[in-house]
Amino acid sequence: MLPLLLSLPEDYPIVNNELIELWIGEGLLGDTNNVYRMREEGEYVLGDLKRLCLLESGLDDYQRQYVKMHDVIRDMAIWIARDYGQRENKLIVIEEEEDISAKMISKWGEAKKVSIWGEWIQNINQTPPRCFQLKTLIVRETNVMEVPRGFFESMAACLMVLDLSNNNNITSFPEGICNLISLRYLNLSHTCIRELPKEINNLTRLQWLLLDHMMEHILIPTGAITSLPLNVFSMWGLNLYKEEEMVEELGRMQGLTDLSIKVCESSSTLKIFQSFQRCIRRVHIESCEGLTHIPISHSLKGSGNFSHLEVLNFYDCRMLVKMEINQGIGQAPNCYCFPSLVEVLIINCGFLDLSWLVHAPKLQSLIVAQCNLMEKIIGDGIAREELAASGLFSRLKSLRIENLRKLRSICDHALLFPQGVKFSIFMCPGLKKLPLDSNGMRGSFSIIGDKGWWEEFEWDPAARVTFEGHGRGNKEEMTYGEAARKMKDDEYFNIARIGFLASGDE
């Protein structure tokens, strides 16, 4: 596993998911079509490497987990990966423009992995020699505009992993890619490529095709990818060209098990919730005019479950008032409709409530904003016992609600939130309390809210808290009663974060 990490520039962080995907592409996590099982195995391996102090971990600006390798460990691991220094060219990492000279690129004939990485790389104007051993080629986060004709010719029979992501200046699909007959993994995310060639169907072993956050709309010719043995197809953050036709094609790809897409047509949305249960992992639904409700046929035997759905976004669907699950709502579900759902975002929609979230026991992040009709997050008709049995919000890490003018309640019953949960509440004047029990809530949690909301919130005045006024940065420990008075009396504070300490910390 470590050699792929060594392909990164020194002291460079890489997001966990991206690293695991590259591992899978290289076949390092087993030769199986079960992408989800391999992802779990990858997380396990990462955990082991961190426990052995071979990797450092952290969070990036987008709160994504990343890992990087300490310089000393990296130097030692590179020495080992190069057969204890006997094969210096087995692993080649290029971070400077001069390293792509004719002399340097001639060494690729011995390489198994080559990484060209970094903004200092402006041009690739050399064609490598015969690269019969090259399995992985990464050209990432450079300022390269194109690769020369014939660049991929000598590696056509052996290359398995090609990552061209985050090259904003690449605008056309390098034609030689279609001759890479052993290619399993192709990542073109964050490029400006506008069209895939129909010859991409020559890649008869391609299992991963990633086109996330492309800078331009990308045209995929009709039928170009339907014959490919894709397990993973992702166009996250990008509108589909000829959306209805594309969704129909994706629905016919029987090997597809991991799909991430954005849709803007009501017909596409309904088709996803009717026919894509087996493969949808992330879906963003935006501006679907005329979409009033989404019916879901949910079987308590599990055949209608969205087993792999992790991310669900609704944006600007103003007429959408409910998610209609035909079994489970109103009773404690013993088979959840959304057993893997961890992230939900709902902005500017017509939902009256989100009671269907009782089917998402693993939910970690919930954002709800600008839903003008919503009076409750969890509606009436679900008894306290049924809520407890559903595990609603029992794994929640963050809940952000904003500009919900009619909201009066998150839930009428107190819920068991996990320790450390973070609440963010803004412009919700009708919300007077949270579904928390000051006697039963013994774990730590925090709330960030505006001045008007804090004036209405009631809590045990003797409880120990930390107070942090927005803009001042310093954090003070005090009682909640003192914090409430401080927030009320000091005109400077418009927003404050209050951390409620666990009973053992008081």
Side-chain angles (χ1 to χ4, degrees):
M1 303 299 176
L2 289 177
L4 189 53
L5 273 165
L6 306 178
S7 303
L8 310 182
E10 187 172 309
D11 202 36
Y12 189 92
I14 183 168
V15 176
N16 291 11
N17 290 341
E18 295 178 6
L19 177 61
I20 291 171
E21 287 174 358
L22 287 168
W23 281 347
I24 295 173
E26 284 201 329
L28 299 177
L29 295 173
D31 187 15
T32 171
N33 291 335
N34 192 328
V35 172
Y36 299 95
R37 185 177 298 167
M38 287 190 283
R39 279 202 180 97
E40 290 177 358
E41 178 66 20
E43 291 287 354
Y44 180 81
V45 171
L46 271 182
D48 277 352
L49 293 174
K50 287 188 284 188
R51 282 188 289 273
L52 292 169
C53 299
L54 295 175
L55 295 179
E56 303 171 10
S57 61
L59 293 175
D60 68 7
D61 293 340
Y62 301 98
Q63 296 301 298
R64 299 176 302 179
Q65 292 186 332
Y66 69 77
V67 293
K68 63 179 181 178
M69 189 176 291
H70 190 278
D71 295 348
V72 174
I73 294 175
R74 183 176 184 270
D75 290 343
M76 180 187 68
I78 287 177
W79 180 71
I80 295 172
R82 289 172 170 167
D83 295 346
Y84 303 98
Q86 299 302 306
R87 295 181 61 192
E88 283 293 320
N89 299 325
K90 185 177 179 180
L91 170 65
I92 296 175
V93 181
I94 296 173
E95 301 178 63
E96 303 292 341
E97 184 92 18
E98 55 266 25
D99 290 339
I100 314 182
S101 63
K103 179 180 179 181
M104 292 297 294
I105 211 166
S106 66
K107 300 178 180 180
W108 287 26
E110 304 173 41
K112 286 194 172 182
K113 292 182 176 65
V114 172
S115 173
I116 304 173
W117 202 307
E119 60 181 342
W120 302 109
I121 310 295
Q122 304 286 330
N123 295 290
I124 298 177
N125 50 23
Q126 302 288 331
T127 300
R130 299 166 64 144
C131 300
F132 293 152
Q133 300 183 68
L134 190 62
K135 302 292 185 184
T136 299
L137 175 60
I138 298 173
V139 183
R140 184 162 171 164
E141 298 183 25
T142 73
N143 283 308
V144 170
M145 297 183 67
E146 60 183 12
V147 295
R149 184 180 297 273
F151 182 83
F152 297 105
E153 185 175 335
S154 67
M155 58 190 83
C158 57
L159 196 69
M160 297 170 58
V161 173
L162 178 59
D163 184 349
L164 298 179
S165 63
N166 292 277
N167 293 293
N168 296 339
N169 294 331
I170 294 182
T171 59
S172 60
F173 186 90
E175 61 182 43
I177 291 176
C178 294
N179 298 322
L180 300 173
I181 57 174
S182 295
L183 198 65
R184 295 167 43 136
Y185 175 101
L186 177 59
N187 189 351
L188 303 175
S189 300
H190 293 275
T191 65
C192 290
I193 294 172
R194 298 183 179 92
E195 183 175 357
L196 297 185
K198 63 180 184 299
E199 290 81 10
I200 197 171
N201 59 17
N202 294 339
L203 303 178
T204 57
R205 296 185 182 181
L206 192 66
Q207 295 177 317
W208 289 64
L209 180 56
L210 306 181
L211 306 169
D212 295 339
H213 300 289
M214 304 292 283
M215 306 303 172
E216 303 282 347
H217 291 298
I218 184 167
L219 170 64
I220 301 177
T222 302
I225 64 171
T226 49
S227 63
L228 297 178
L230 291 180
N231 297 143
V232 180
F233 178 74
S234 183
M235 282 186 67
W236 192 241
L238 185 70
N239 290 346
L240 293 174
Y241 185 79
K242 295 185 178 179
E243 179 183 301
E244 292 181 325
E245 180 180 303
M246 190 69 190
V247 170
E248 285 290 335
E249 287 195 21
L250 292 170
R252 292 196 294 270
M253 297 176 68
Q254 295 302 310
L256 200 61
T257 57
D258 185 331
L259 176 64
S260 299
I261 55 172
K262 172 184 176 182
V263 294
C264 301
E265 300 288 342
S266 298
S267 59
S268 300
T269 300
L270 294 174
K271 185 171 182 62
I272 284 170
F273 283 97
Q274 291 166 2
S275 307
F276 283 70
Q277 292 97 329
R278 63 180 174 82
C279 66
I280 192 72
R281 183 167 74 92
R282 298 181 296 175
V283 59
H284 179 102
I285 298 161
E286 182 171 332
S287 302
C288 288
E289 296 182 6
L291 182 67
T292 59
H293 72 289
I294 298 175
I296 296 177
S297 178
H298 167 52
S299 169
L300 293 179
K301 296 180 179 179
S303 60
N305 291 352
F306 290 80
S307 300
H308 304 305
L309 182 62
E310 296 176 4
V311 178
L312 176 57
N313 295 346
F314 290 102
Y315 184 85
D316 206 19
C317 297
R318 302 181 187 185
M319 298 180 68
L320 179 59
V321 296
K322 65 178 177 178
M323 185 93 77
E324 191 175 21
I325 301 175
N326 66 4
Q327 293 185 29
I329 295 295
Q331 59 181 337
N334 55 18
C335 183
Y336 298 103
C337 186
F338 304 116
S340 302
L341 189 61
V342 295
E343 182 180 321
V344 172
L345 179 145
I346 299 171
I347 297 178
N348 197 23
C349 294
F351 280 111
L352 301 177
D353 63 54
L354 306 178
S355 295
W356 48 271
L357 289 176
V358 299
H359 281 276
K362 295 183 180 179
L363 188 66
Q364 295 181 15
S365 172
L366 175 61
I367 299 175
V368 189
Q370 297 171 246
C371 296
N372 296 328
L373 301 178
M374 191 176 296
E375 296 184 6
K376 296 183 178 182
I377 302 291
I378 304 301
D380 300 326
I382 305 179
R384 186 192 307 272
E385 296 78 11
E386 294 163 354
L387 285 172
S390 73
L392 178 67
F393 297 159
S394 62
R395 300 192 186 186
L396 200 69
K397 293 182 179 179
S398 65
L399 169 60
R400 182 181 181 92
I401 52 178
E402 185 172 335
N403 199 11
L404 303 178
R405 298 295 180 175
K406 290 188 176 181
L407 189 71
R408 295 184 291 105
S409 170
I410 291 176
C411 182
D412 288 341
H413 304 295
L415 300 173
L416 293 176
F417 290 91
Q419 182 163 319
V421 64
K422 298 177 181 178
F423 299 93
S424 301
I425 304 162
F426 299 98
M427 293 181 288
C428 299
L431 184 65
K432 307 297 184 183
K433 61 180 181 178
L434 298 181
L436 304 169
D437 183 347
S438 59
N439 294 319
M441 191 72 183
R442 291 306 179 197
S444 62
F445 64 98
S446 66
I447 305 173
I448 182 170
D450 50 48
K451 191 180 189 77
W453 187 83
W454 279 118
E455 290 176 354
E456 300 290 338
F457 185 64
E458 296 182 3
W459 199 257
D460 179 3
R464 301 299 296 177
V465 302
T466 59
F467 179 88
E468 184 178 356
H470 181 67
R472 293 198 176 178
N474 58 318
K475 186 185 295 185
E476 305 174 69
E477 185 173 333
M478 60 188 70
T479 67
Y480 175 68
E482 292 169 333
R485 286 192 296 273
K486 190 179 185 72
M487 188 68 188
K488 181 179 180 180
D489 296 339
D490 194 330
E491 294 182 359
Y492 180 84
F493 293 120
N494 293 315
I495 297 173
R497 180 190 301 274
I498 296 181
F500 296 79
L501 302 177
S503 56
D505 298 332
E506 297 178 10

